[in-house]
Amino acid sequence: VSSRTDSEFDLIARIRARAGMRDDVSLGIGDDAAVVRLPAGHDLVVSTDTLNVGVHFPAETAPLDIGWKALAVSLSDLAAMGANPAWCTLNLTMPSADRDWLDAFLDGFLAVAKAHGVALVGGDTTRGPLSVTVTAHGFLPRDAALRRSGAQSGDDVWISGTLGDAAGALRQWRDGSTVDAVLRVRLDRPVPRVALGIALRGIANACIDVSDGLLADLRHVLDESRVGAELEPAWLPTSLELAKAFDEATRIQLQLAGGDDYELCFTAPPAHAPAVMKAAKQSGAALTRIGRIEAGQGLRLRDPDGVVSAAPRIGYRHFDASREARDPA
Ligand code: ADP
Ligand code: MG
C-alpha cells in the first residue's frame, strides 16, 4: 500500500488526463454524463462486468493485471456479439485513494483501450473493498448481432485460439507448483477476439465467449437455441505449454471445464466453412472445428474410439456452494 493518498477528485483528474479520445465522443469525463455519437444505421451494444477482490482475483494480483483484465473481459463480450467496441465507463471502488495503485491499474486498462481504439468516457470513484466494474459500449450494423440463440442443427462448432491455458495456470498456482509463463499470461492478460467477432458477422449463426468454461458456455448456446451438440475432445486446440504441463486426462478436463480463456465459440453451417477460414485469416485467429450441433437436446462427448457419453456438468458458478473458489483464501 502506498503512502501517497489523494482525494477522489485528484484520482478522477489522473484518470481524465489519460482517458483517450475519439472523434465520436462529444463529451467525455468531466460533466454529469458523457455524450457519444453512434454511426448512422447502427445499434448500440452494451455490456457490463464486475471484478471483485477475493472472488475474481486474489488480493495480491498486480494492479496492472487487474486493469488489463477488467477491460479485456468486457470487450470480449462485445466481441462475442460481433460489435465494434468504442467507449467504456469505469466504476472503481478502492479501500484508499492510492495514486500509485491507480497509475499501475490505468497502465493495464488503457493498454487494452488503446489496442482496440476505445475511449474511457466516464465512471464513478468510491471507497470500499476493491471492486472494478467496467461497462463497454460498441456498435453493430442494425440486426447483425451474433446471438446465443441462432445455432442450427447441422452447424459446425468452432473455437478460436487454444483452450485451457488460463485454467492450467490457475491449477499450477493452486497446486503450489511453478506457473508456466505462457499460461500465466493467458490468465492475467486475456486478449479479446474483437477482430474475429466482427469478421464473423453474417457467417456465424451463434457465438459466445468462453469465460466460465467451454461446456458451461456452449450449454448456454444450446439452451438458447433449443438444440444439442456433440464434441470431440480429441480435437480441442491445445498449446504446447499446456500439453507439456499436464497429463492428457487432466488437460482435457481443464479445457472442457476451465474458464477465463476468452476465446470465441461459435457455430456456422458447413457451407460457411470457407468463409470461416477467411475470417480466421482476416482476424489472425486460429480456428478449430470441435464438433457439431444436433437436433436432439443435450451435450455429448465422443471419445477417439467413437464412444459417445453425456458431457459432465462442470464449470464455474458464483452461487454454487460446491464450486472450487478461485481465491486461495
Ligand atoms: P457525479 O457527482 O456527477 O457523479 P463524479 O465526481 O462522480 O460526478 O464524476 C465526475 C466526472 O468524472 C464524471 O464525468 C464521471 O463520469 C467521471 N469519473 C468519475 N470517476 C471516474 C472513473 N473511475 N473513471 C472515469 N471517469 C470517472
Ligand atoms: Mg459519481
Side-chain angles (χ1 to χ4, degrees), residues 85-322:
W87 317 291
C88 65
T89 57
L90 169 62
N91 288 26
L92 199 52
T93 301
M94 45 203 292
S96 69
D98 181 339
R99 171 201 296 205
D100 295 334
W101 189 95
L102 177 71
D103 286 346
F105 173 91
L106 289 175
D107 287 343
F109 188 94
L110 295 173
V112 175
K114 199 169 171 199
H116 298 282
V118 170
L120 174 58
V121 298
D124 205 17
T125 306
T126 56
R127 194 148 70 92
L130 185 58
S131 174
V132 183
T133 297
V134 175
T135 305
H137 310 250
F139 51 82
L140 261 170
R142 201 145 289 162
D143 301 323
L146 306 177
R147 298 157 185 252
R148 295 179 179 186
S149 58
Q152 300 282 329
S153 170
D155 279 1
D156 292 321
V157 179
W158 295 86
I159 188 84
S160 64
T162 58
L163 271 182
D165 297 332
L170 201 56
R171 174 67 62 90
Q172 289 178 328
W173 177 71
R174 274 205 204 112
D175 289 350
S177 35
T178 310
V179 180
D180 178 273
V182 171
L183 301 183
R184 172 183 287 272
V185 168
R186 289 296 312 271
L187 177 65
D188 290 340
R189 312 252 174 106
V191 177
R193 294 286 188 185
V194 171
L196 176 61
I198 294 167
L200 288 173
R201 286 178 198 158
I203 295 168
N205 276 340
C207 187
I208 193 167
D209 66 324
V210 178
S211 55
D212 293 339
L214 175 66
L215 295 183
D217 288 319
L218 180 58
R219 270 202 178 92
H220 295 314
V221 170
L222 302 182
D223 291 346
E224 291 297 316
S225 302
R226 299 172 185 285
V227 291
E230 190 175 292
L231 295 186
E232 307 249 0
W235 296 353
L236 295 173
T238 305
S239 70
L240 292 174
E241 289 76 13
L242 190 73
K244 232 180 335 176
F246 299 96
D247 63 75
E248 191 187 15
T250 307
R251 188 221 344 129
I252 290 178
Q253 148 86 18
L254 291 169
Q255 292 180 294
L256 292 175
D260 281 315
D261 286 312
Y262 299 98
E263 295 294 350
L264 295 187
C265 178
F266 62 95
T267 83
H272 286 186
V276 168
M277 293 329 298
K278 206 172 145 200
K281 211 163 167 197
Q282 266 172 22
S283 62
L287 298 180
T288 306
R289 199 169 74 78
I290 57 170
R292 175 145 305 178
I293 298 294
E294 299 174 334
Q297 310 254 313
L299 181 50
R300 290 164 290 278
L301 303 178
R302 176 184 290 266
D303 76 14
D305 303 323
V307 179
V308 176
S309 56
R313 295 242 157 221
I314 40 181
Y316 186 81
R317 282 200 191 88
H318 281 280
F319 295 102
D320 179 349
S322 69

Side-chain angles (χ1 to χ4, degrees), residues 8-9 12 15 28-32 90 92 120-125:
E8 166 199 347
F9 299 105
I12 295 173
I15 296 171
I29 294 173
D31 216 305
D32 295 314
L90 169 62
L92 199 52
L120 174 58
V121 298
D124 205 17
T125 306

Side-chain angles (χ1 to χ4, degrees), residues 59-76:
E60 65 268 22
T61 308
L64 191 152
D65 291 334
I66 300 170
W68 178 294
K69 195 157 180 175
L71 182 55
V73 303
S74 281
L75 297 189
S76 178

